[in-house]
Amino acid sequence: MTDRDERPVAGDDPAPTPFAPATPGEVTVYRDASLIDGTGAPVRRAMAVVTDGATIRKVVPDAELGASDLDGAEVVDLAGAFLLPGLIDTHQHLSTPPNRRRAEETMRRQLYGGVTAIREMAGDLRQMADLERAALIGEIPGPDVHNAALMAGQSFFDDPRTWQVTQGATPGTAPWMQAVGEDTDLVTAVARARGTGAVAIKVYADLGASLITRITAEAHRQGMRVWAHGAVFPALPGDVVAAGVDVVSHVHMLAYELSDVRPDTYRGQRAHLSQVYRQFLDAPVDAIDALLGEMRRRGTVLDATASVVGRIPLSPPGAAGMARDVVRRLIDRARHVGVEICAGTDYETPPDDPYPSLHDELDHLVHAMGMPPREVVRAATLGGAAALGQTATTGSVEAGKLANLLVVAADPYEDIGHLRHIITTVKRGRRHDRADYDRPRAGGVEEGTRA
């Protein structure tokens, strides 16, 4: 170190990459769009969206554009194509185990596949913090990343995944992967988690109701979100919701609320799932509505991860169909009660698939779970923003919000598969044309082990 001021001077900064956010004064006008704004409202035809730098300046009928809107602007004629908010995958694990090359390839595919933000639901946050920064400033193409640091009971930390994501440290002691108990100094524990760059605490396993409540209160006091599984064991769904967490993941876990099965640990749950599912299906259809009503009252978002349930091994034969029926009933009741649903995946498609897993999840929500495409689009946009706590800045096409947009050739309200007919993804005002991704690229990426 020296005393000389070595701050960069004008002209020293490197040229912006093709993935960097647009800068103020870079104005683009998207004309003649069929607008799906993310709120669940009907399509509005012949609309114009004006972006200035990374934000949306104006959303108006095309006929109301003035000369001042067009002066000096780049004009993109969408000729009736459909413009909607960028998609949000609310359940990803890009760093479990950490593999930088694979993560970058996945993030690139996500961006060109219409995904402009993800929740990273715990992993090696040393790697994810740098990937978050690189995607934010445009060193690499990728969605905005919102990271969670994990907290669980000490008994969980012999799980091999915890060793994968703490290499060089000890599971349970790393700031992004902490073991907590009744005697833990939660003020310090949450502060350590914040220091990783995480925006949320993920409450995961082997924790009781009172401790989850204390973690949630302290995290909120320090300005962090709290994301939890639907049941944490021994804490059950009602305990998790009553603790005040912001999002609960894995809708099938809510079935435990109607069961007499009470696993002491997270690891013990799967041995009983078939019994839990049967008890849930035997209960009155509206028996779960009290829990869901409390979620609605509190504004708790449901990260359904509906399709991942089919990947959980169950016995006896036929249990997989029972699991599907449980998930569908839970989603039906959540919709009936008015719980905000977001769209998370908890897995990624193989590297040779041209689209990220979120598209498969959205197809599943429509075709297997019976959600109308309009609601599924909202779940993948404004619902995702609600999970992130970012509805003021993203998730819908409104003036003042980030210019995170997706342009597709056909109406996703008619067929959710039309979300794969991507023309361009706009992230923070910068366009990323699908044609650039579809051109052959040298090299590839190996498929790693998902957690």
Side-chain angles (χ1 to χ4, degrees), residues 92-167:
Q92 271 290 335
H93 289 282
L94 297 183
S95 58
T96 309
N99 181 320
R100 180 60 179 249
R101 179 168 172 248
R102 185 185 65 191
E104 288 192 19
E105 289 287 345
T106 299
M107 291 173 69
R108 178 177 182 271
R109 181 175 62 172
Q110 287 170 336
L111 180 62
Y112 283 96
V115 178
T116 54
I118 63 170
R119 284 197 313 162
E120 173 71 1
M121 293 294 287
D124 193 333
L125 296 196
R126 294 168 297 186
Q127 174 173 283
M128 290 310 304
D130 188 48
L131 287 168
E132 174 191 354
R133 179 198 62 83
L136 179 65
I137 66 176
E139 286 182 354
I140 61 171
D144 287 337
V145 178
H146 302 259
N147 287 313
L150 184 142
M151 290 186 182
Q154 181 63 59
S155 55
F156 170 69
F157 286 92
D158 61 352
D159 188 299
R161 294 171 298 176
T162 67
W163 290 89
Q164 291 173 341
V165 300
T166 56
Q167 295 173 57

Side-chain angles (χ1 to χ4, degrees), residues 8 16 49 51 70 110 112 127 241 245 302 307 349 370 408 421 423 426:
V49 176
T51 66
L70 300 171
Q110 287 170 336
Y112 283 96
Q127 174 173 283
V241 172
V245 306
L302 177 60
S307 64
T349 47
V408 296
H421 298 179
I423 297 171
V426 182

Side-chain angles (χ1 to χ4, degrees), residues 253-264:
M253 287 184 169
L254 300 186
Y256 272 95
E257 189 69 7
L258 305 185
S259 174
D260 58 11
V261 175
R262 298 290 186 267
D264 290 330

Side-chain angles (χ1 to χ4, degrees), residues 29 40 60 63 95 106 119 215 229 236 264 270 292 324 330 388 397:
V29 182
V60 294
S95 58
T106 299
R119 284 197 313 162
I215 293 168
H229 277 195
L236 294 170
D264 290 330
R270 289 190 178 180
L292 296 171
R324 182 181 62 249
L330 281 164
L388 297 173
V397 183

Side-chain angles (χ1 to χ4, degrees), residues 89-94 96 119 121-122 161 202 204 229 249-250 252 266 270 303-309 311-312 343-349 357-358 361 450-451:
D89 185 341
T90 54
H91 205 120
Q92 271 290 335
H93 289 282
L94 297 183
T96 309
R119 284 197 313 162
M121 293 294 287
R161 294 171 298 176
K202 180 178 180 179
Y204 190 75
H229 277 195
S249 294
H250 304 316
H252 74 281
Y266 189 85
R270 289 190 178 180
D303 170 30
T305 62
S307 64
V308 81
V309 176
R311 296 174 175 82
I312 299 174
T345 57
D346 201 19
Y347 74 101
E348 196 46 78
T349 47
S357 57
L358 184 59
E361 176 71 12
R450 297 297 297 156

